[in-house]
């Protein structure tokens, strides 16, 4: 069934989704910023705007806001109306979400209502658009319809890429579109604030980045985002309060404040709300210390009871947040134009490229078959079978036992065997050994599983008392398609408690931890497993 094939729906960015800022390459982000600049100028000059517009009723935009919003929702609503496309506002409160309908089923149905669909989604659940991009991509292929695009309008405490786009555009405007250098202070609730998490990648539009993180310990930037900033080459400094920050000389000319997300904090943190708020709220006496040209920004909304940017600043030259909020309309109009097909034909930079490298993590190594190595089952040497060696090497004894039990259980090794924790003769470190004399083969799926349960082990296949084959099992680049794994972030779309059937999927980081593909939660490989 190939429906809708004859429609003139084409464009370099159609079918793309933006779940995180890095779903657009740096060149693509720069294209968006230059087009926004052109649109703003054209509006100011009262020029003809028709070449920016989609003007096609076969493109249907759906605004799906399951969490409250003013700016994101209304600026997108105005942006899609600018394009003269079919515009729908999904009412989540009266929808069949209340009858436990899944996101996948809901969007499959909506997708059949227009030849090409563009969704803007805000949820408390994290990673929804990443999941739907995959799932609806498959659905569209089965149905022979055009793959829809998904835009993340903010998902829990994860990311807010279109806020990031408007923020970076605003910083560029302040910098006269010079991308060489930015010095920015991020102030406030850096733990829960998704807009500051998106900065870990979004600031990459600048060649050199100095970022000062100003937050009390309870609201500090999560380590995963700090690591991301470090690997992007940013210079990071940390301060517990504005007071502490101003006690030193190198002060940023761009300050980005965030609201304390009290609604997401547990009771233990909430009892310190006053102290936390005070530490990241600007005070009148500090104005003198601000260099000329300094601007304050805020993704808004401002908490009217505890504003981190107090009202007395509204009418000062420090106010950059009003223009920033206005830029939300222009940047979103351009993003909709790119994904909706009116913009992109003149893009000639580098598109996003999947950077997946082939990794030989199950490495067959030389056995030196002529040199016998004796493994034992109890006191009896293993003549034939499998021996898994170096389990958890270097870890403490109880952790090594945990690895052994986990490996036995997950790999279903209910066979004659022996296992134990031993001290290595070579270096004195402890390691686990598992001897399986009744097994004569260990298939690739099991080896892949082993790599994610007990990485950096050695698997020996023994025949006639000689090691016939030997594999070094390293950290896998991805962990997925196993029944016994799940993301441990309770707010993630793939968390089993939500029954959304999003397949758990983890990518290895440079520091050998595993981040969830949907919500970016960082896991130690041991925590990926449910057993
Ligand atoms: N900045 C922002 O996302 O605002 P809203 O919550 O009002 O959309």
């Amino acid at each position: 069934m190939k429906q809708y094939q004859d429609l003139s729906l084409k464009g370099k960015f159609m079918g793309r989704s933006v779940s995180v800022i890095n779903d657009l390459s740096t060149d693509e982000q720069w294209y968006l910023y230059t087009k926004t600049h052109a649109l703003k100028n054209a509006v100011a000059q009262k020029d003809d705007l028709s070449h920016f517009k989609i003007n096609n009723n076969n493109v249907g935009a759906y605004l799906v806001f399951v969490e409250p919003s003013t700016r994101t929702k209304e600026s997108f609503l105005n942006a899609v109306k600018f394009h003269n496309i079919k515009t729908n506002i999904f009412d989540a409160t009266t929808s069949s979400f209340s009858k436990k309908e899944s996101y996948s089923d809901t969007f499959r149905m909506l997708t059949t209502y227009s030849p090409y669909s563009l969704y803007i989604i805000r949820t408390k659940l994290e990673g929804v658009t990443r999941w739907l991009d995959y799932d609806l991509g498959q659905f569209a292929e089965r149905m022979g319809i055009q793959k829809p695009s998904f835009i993340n309008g903010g998902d829990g405490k994860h990311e807010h890429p279109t806020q990031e786009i408007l923020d970076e555009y605003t910083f560029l405007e302040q910098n006269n579109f010079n991308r060489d250098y930015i010095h920015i202070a991020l102030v406030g609730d850096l733990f829960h604030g998704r807009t500051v998490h998106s900065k870990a990648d979004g600031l990459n539009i600048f060649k050199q980045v100095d970022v000062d993180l100003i937050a009390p310990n309870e609201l500090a930037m999560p380590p995963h985002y700090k690591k991301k900033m470090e690997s992007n080459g940013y210079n990071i400094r940390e301060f517990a309060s504005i007071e502490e920050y101003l006690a030193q000389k190198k002060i940023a000319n761009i300050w980005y404040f965030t609201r304390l997300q009290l609604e997401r904090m547990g009771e233990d943190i909430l009892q310190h709300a006053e102290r936390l708020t005070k530490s990241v709220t600007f005070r009148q006496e500090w104005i003198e210390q601000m260099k000329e040209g300094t601007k304050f920004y805020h993704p808004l909304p401002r908490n009217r009871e505890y504003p981190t940017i107090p009202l007395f600043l509204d009418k000062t030259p420090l106010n950059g947040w009003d223009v920033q909020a206005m830029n939300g309309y222009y940047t979103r109009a351009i993003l909709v134009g790119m994904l909706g097909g009116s913009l992109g034909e003149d893009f000639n930079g580098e598109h996003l490229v999947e950077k997946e490298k082939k990794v030989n993590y199950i490495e067959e190594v030389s056995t030196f078959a002529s040199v016998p190595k004796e493994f034992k089952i109890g006191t009896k040497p293993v003549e034939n079978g499998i021996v898994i060696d170096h389990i958890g090497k270097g870890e403490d004894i109880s952790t090594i036992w945990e690895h052994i039990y986990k490996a036995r259980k997950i790999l279903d090794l209910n066979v004659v065997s022996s296992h134990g924790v031993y001290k290595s003769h070579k270096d004195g470190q402890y390691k686990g050994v598992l001897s399986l004399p009744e097994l004569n083969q260990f298939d690739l799926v099991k080896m892949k599983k082993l790599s994610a349960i007990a990485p950096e082990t050695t698997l020996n296949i023994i025949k006639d008392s000689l090691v016939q084959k030997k594999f070094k099992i390293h950290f896998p680049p991805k962990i997925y398609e196993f029944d016994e794994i799940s993301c441990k972030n309770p707010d993630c779309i793939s968390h089993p408690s939500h029954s959304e059937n999003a397949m758990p999927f983890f990518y290895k980081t440079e520091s050998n931890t595993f981040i969830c593909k949907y919500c970016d939660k960082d896991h130690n490989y041991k925590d990926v497993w449910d057993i």
Side-chain angles (χ1 to χ4, degrees), residues 67-69 72 122-126 152-161 163-164 189-200 225 256 258-259 261 263-264:
E67 254 211 326
S69 162
T72 311
R122 170 169 291 191
T123 53
K124 189 167 185 293
L125 269 191
E126 298 172 20
N152 176 8
D155 58 340
K157 59 186 181 315
H158 179 217
E159 291 223 18
H160 194 349
Q163 178 70 44
E164 186 55 21
D189 186 350
L190 308 186
F191 183 80
H192 298 96
R194 55 197 174 201
T195 64
V196 287
H197 299 165
S198 295
K199 295 216 161 14
Y225 291 104
Y256 189 90
T258 58
R259 177 176 72 87
Q261 300 197 19
E263 72 279 13
R264 295 189 207 272

Side-chain angles (χ1 to χ4, degrees), residues 82-102:
F82 165 82
H83 282 287
N84 296 330
I85 56 179
K86 190 162 74 166
T87 303
N88 299 284
I89 302 175
F90 182 84
D91 184 356
T93 52
T94 58
S95 73
S96 289
F97 280 149
S98 62
K99 297 177 201 157
K100 295 198 181 297
E101 183 165 30
S102 69

Side-chain angles (χ1 to χ4, degrees), residues 8 22 65 87 123 156 171 257 260 338 365 431 481 495 502:
S8 57
N22 266 4
F65 279 70
T87 303
T123 53
F171 305 153
F257 286 83
L260 266 67
M338 286 164 69
V365 290
K431 62 172 186 170
E481 281 185 358
H495 191 273

Side-chain angles (χ1 to χ4, degrees), residues 412-429:
D412 203 19
L413 297 174
N414 294 321
V415 288
V416 171
S417 62
S418 78
H419 54 243
V421 176
Y422 304 91
K423 205 171 194 173
S424 164
H425 299 301
K426 284 186 193 151
D427 52 22
Q429 287 191 323

Side-chain angles (χ1 to χ4, degrees), residues 296-455:
F296 285 1
Y297 298 110
H298 194 304
L300 304 177
R302 228 180 344 179
N303 182 317
R304 64 175 181 266
E305 289 169 359
Y306 308 106
T308 49
I309 298 184
L311 300 188
F312 70 83
L313 288 165
D314 285 13
K315 291 179 186 152
T316 70
L318 290 169
N319 181 343
W321 59 92
D322 285 335
V323 169
Q324 175 194 9
M326 179 181 72
N327 284 339
Y329 165 70
Y330 292 104
T331 48
R332 287 170 175 138
I334 294 299
L335 180 62
V336 169
M338 286 164 69
L339 302 185
S342 63
L343 299 170
E345 283 316 299
D346 57 344
F347 174 75
N348 51 21
E350 259 186 42
H351 278 295
L352 192 72
V353 276
E354 293 291 335
K355 284 188 223 142
E356 199 171 308
K357 279 191 293 193
K358 194 129 185 73
V359 181
N360 187 19
Y361 65 99
I362 296 173
E363 183 192 3
E364 185 165 358
V365 290
S366 164
T367 54
F368 299 109
S370 56
V371 184
K373 180 171 178 184
E374 189 182 85
F375 291 105
K376 289 182 178 168
I377 166 100
T379 53
K380 189 173 175 297
V382 177
E383 287 168 9
N384 293 293
I386 305 273
V387 175
I388 303 169
D389 194 6
H390 302 113
I391 298 173
K393 189 166 178 196
E395 303 206 56
D396 62 74
I397 295 173
S398 62
T399 308
I400 299 173
W401 276 113
E402 267 177 43
H403 285 306
I404 294 172
Y405 287 129
K406 213 173 223 182
R408 292 194 65 108
K409 187 146 193 192
I410 297 169
L411 296 170
D412 203 19
L413 297 174
N414 294 321
V415 288
V416 171
S417 62
S418 78
H419 54 243
V421 176
Y422 304 91
K423 205 171 194 173
S424 164
H425 299 301
K426 284 186 193 151
D427 52 22
Q429 287 191 323
Y430 289 104
K431 62 172 186 170
V433 180
L434 181 53
S435 304
L436 306 152
E438 286 193 343
L439 295 187
N440 52 23
Q441 59 176 12
F442 211 79
D443 65 30
L444 190 61
V445 174
K446 277 205 159 118
M447 283 205 218
K448 284 184 174 178
K449 252 185 176 171
L450 181 62
S451 74
I453 303 164

